Amino acid sequence: MNDRIFAENRFGLGPRPRGSGGGDGRAWVEAQLGDRLAVPAGTPTRAEAAEALLAYRDERRDLRMERRQEPEPTAPTMTMSGEKASAKPKQPPELVGLRKEQRDLYLRAVDARLNAALTGPSPFLERMAHFWANHFAVGATKMTTVGFAGLLEMEAIRPHVTGRFADMLLAVERHPAMLLYLDQAQSIGPNSLAGERAGARGRDLGLNENLAREILELHTLGVRTGYAQADVTEFARALTGWTVAGLGRGPLQRRLGGAPGDFAFAEMLHEPGARTILGKHYGEGGEEQGRAVLMDLAVAPATARHVATKLARHFVADDPPPAVIARVEQAFLKSGGDLPTVYRALIASPEAWDPARPKFRNPWEWTVASFRALGLDKAPGQRAVGMLNELGMPVWRPTSPAGFDDIAASWAGPDALVRRVEAAQRLAATAGQEIDARALAPVTLGSRLSPATAQAISRAESPATGLALLLVSPEFLRR
Amino acid sequence: MDRRSFLGCGAAGLAAATFAPSLAFAKAATDKRFLFVIQRGAADGLAILAPTGDPALARLRPLIGFEGGSRIDPFFTLHPALKATAALHAAKQALFVHAVASPYRDRSHFDGQNVLETGGALPYRLRDGWMNRLVATMPDDPHAIAFAPTIPPVLRGAANVTSYAPSKLPDAGADLMLRVGDLYGADPQLGPLWNQALAARAQAGDLASGKGAAAAGALAAKMMAGANGARIGMIETDGWDTHSGQKARLGAQLSGLDGLLAAFQAGLGADWRNTLVIVATEFGRTAAENGTGGTDHGTGSVAWLLGGAVRGGRVLADWPGLGASQLYEGRDLKPTHALDAVIATALAQHFGQDPARLAAALFPDTGARPLAEQFV
């Protein structure tokens, strides 16, 4: 079972009504491995994101001078899951416009991502970009990251989707979105120049181990793979100095080179000394010290296994077969993390082509597949964003650095199902009466279209109801 | 015909096959209510209920501080944002267990939450959650519901549970709802989910469009109040992972949670008398603040027991101290109470079950033993 429609559902983003056609599915996937993913048109620039954040901070600082202490606004989090609620302090009117500016940058990035998913030439690679963006999850959940979160995928992930894991890892961990999201930009070595000066003034500034821990637990080795708290702390010390240029205004910031939003290494924040991490010695070395640790982590056996497991879970099964994991893991180890080699091992796994083993589409995958099936060439802007929020998967806003779950139990809930039906009805209503779901069903589902679904569609009381039924049919909800 | 009237007549007249009979919320065998509120992200117990009598606290928290709040006993001060909670304490309807922890001793959220929710001794050893096993111990169907779009791990398992969360999407038409029900009927995964969703929607009625933390509390109360209300509920809150700028963020978080609890109490009315609420988190945070005005992943934290059924007005703590040599691994509040034992004991007392048997049923791998303490 490796026809083209099957492959487009399992390895791509779902078929479009025209332009698919027959042919060998596996060949279709493999032909994409030599492609490169461009940065989608319309993506905001890093300079725009930095400028918006600076303007926001300046205004807040002015306000604070006026009113003394203004609490740090945070993105809302006290929620019934999926329902973003308002446990945040009221915003002064001066800030509303600037917040909107940052939100617009976020919306433009989401639009660019969706447009690439709808019409990009390499759907498998688009899918991989979504996978890696979730693996290296950052949340557009703080005022500092709203404008930057999407850029992590655009700038650090997409260029490396068909490159080496190590290069992607390095690009991700040096990206402003990650440095800001996991608090690395503010981490200070207690015995660094800055740490000592602050100490002398009676201020206890210091280390933040958030990024170091998540790199080990989520980005590379995986949780429970033998590292200890001491390794986390030592790694955090090694990473001190990794920060973002031009977003603060102290004397330190003025000394950093680079445009606002660029990676910068601040020697005066770096904790001096040699380190031992996971039994290996790393000599004194400023910026290089953190990079050396990262490069070792990128090719560690535990990393190969962690990445292989996540890929197998994403493409094969919630509870992935050990044989697939082992095959992908070996490909990772032998190639030193060459991603096309890793993907090839996955695509060559017969388990990945088993039609009896479909995966439940998460809200993003389902939304993209629906838009593609309807033949949309352009993302419906704010409406798409609102729909993904309602479906419980707001773009680049997972509730934790672990990203969104990749198992059916997290998405196939009673209420989530009703929401999809509601969303499908709305989509079908706006798609008009022109689309004949009876004709579209075999084109999008191929051999998986069941007689029951075909019959339900043909008996619908209106074309719109037929179309909605196709989008929420058991076959369309899975890939 | 809009959805509501469709559902209204569905409950009365439409084919019974559309609704699983066990999900029509009929009167359960018990009047007792239990709500579990999870704080995802490791809530800082040392800020929620600050040990202001411990001389080491001031040194550990110079930037975050701990000013204000209600001094609820000579040693502990409740966070200033917790106004309704402080009132509950004064009315002897709130009890705190401090320096408490699940058996988990590492610092990964995902593993910690898995242990907290499955009730296992180690992450990923058990596949179902302790609340689901609690449902299985109860006579008849106590109607357990998660106020979330999908069922969280603590409620997952073989016993019948459902989930509900309000949606801002326009209602789907009655015709489509019926046809989808037909289409899912033969699907072993989708069929039961669909029936649960319809039953929960019928119950929710007008509060379906509610927003915010207080609305979440009010919605939970609406679904759990009265003779036909669900007896067991669960609410997820997230955003407790305060690595930086903790002071303001935690204040907003706690003010939301406080509002949620107040709305839940108000909405339950007379049933509050029979209610136990437990608020817990996967682990605590470092005793010392970090260099960015926040705290990192730690160990011991605080668990809250609230409700008309609770013998409150006190703090249970075998205080380990915050001195450098008294901290767990030199950095965290040392756990001196086992969260699983607290939960099992309180629930056994609340639902009139044998404590040892319930502890073994809910926490089969942890060796949790009932406590001598009277919680309710």
Side-chain angles (χ1 to χ4, degrees), chain A residues 173-255:
Chain A
E173 310 303 355
R174 289 162 59 96
H175 194 274
M178 188 62 81
L179 294 167
L180 293 169
Y181 178 57
L182 291 180
D183 309 305
Q184 175 61 37
Q186 322 158 54
S187 183
I188 299 173
N191 299 309
S192 67
L193 206 53
E196 284 185 342
R197 276 188 198 162
R201 288 198 308 269
R203 294 197 61 196
D204 195 11
L205 295 172
L207 203 61
N208 188 309
E209 64 187 34
N210 204 10
L211 179 67
R213 177 184 305 284
E214 303 302 22
I215 288 175
L216 292 167
E217 172 173 338
L218 300 173
H219 301 168
T220 61
L221 305 180
V223 69
R224 290 185 313 280
T225 46
Y227 55 87
Q229 177 60 42
D231 295 313
V232 175
T233 310
E234 276 294 88
F235 188 21
R237 290 186 183 119
L239 288 173
T240 46
W242 288 35
T243 188
V244 185
L247 296 184
R249 49 184 55 259
L252 164 72
Q253 279 284 345
R254 283 196 290 274
R255 280 197 223 168

Side-chain angles (χ1 to χ4, degrees), chain A residues 425-439:
Chain A
Q425 176 175 259
R426 199 167 44 177
L427 285 178
T430 52
Q433 304 286 316
E434 292 99 71
I435 298 176
D436 187 338
R438 289 169 302 182

Side-chain angles (χ1 to χ4, degrees), chain B residues 254-353:
Chain B
L254 287 172
S255 150
L257 178 54
D258 194 61
L260 185 158
L261 294 167
F264 182 66
Q265 179 192 4
L268 273 186
D271 290 312
W272 177 252
R273 203 160 20 101
N274 291 319
T275 296
L276 165 67
V277 179
I278 298 182
V279 180
T281 187
E282 69 263 27
F283 46 75
R285 309 193 69 81
T286 45
E289 64 188 29
N290 62 22
T292 53
T295 49
D296 295 315
H297 300 183
T299 309
S301 190
V302 66
W304 328 11
L305 279 68
L306 315 150
V310 172
R311 294 194 192 185
R314 51 203 176 118
V315 178
L316 295 185
D318 180 8
W319 193 248
L322 294 177
S325 65
Q326 296 165 313
L327 295 174
Y328 178 74
E329 293 190 345
R331 54 180 265 156
D332 307 338
L333 176 60
K334 186 183 286 173
T336 54
H337 275 100
L339 182 60
D340 48 7
V342 171
I343 290 172
T345 308
L347 287 173
Q349 290 166 358
H350 189 55
F351 287 115
Q353 298 204 36

Side-chain angles (χ1 to χ4, degrees), chain A residues 10-21:
Chain A
R10 188 149 291 185
F11 286 98
L13 300 166
R16 293 173 57 84
R18 284 176 298 278
S20 168

Side-chain angles (χ1 to χ4, degrees), chain A residues 117-141:
Chain A
L118 295 185
T119 57
S122 315
F124 172 70
L125 300 188
E126 292 289 339
R127 174 92 169 268
M128 291 315 309
H130 307 154
F131 171 87
W132 288 117
N134 195 53
H135 177 80
F136 294 112
V138 291
T141 48

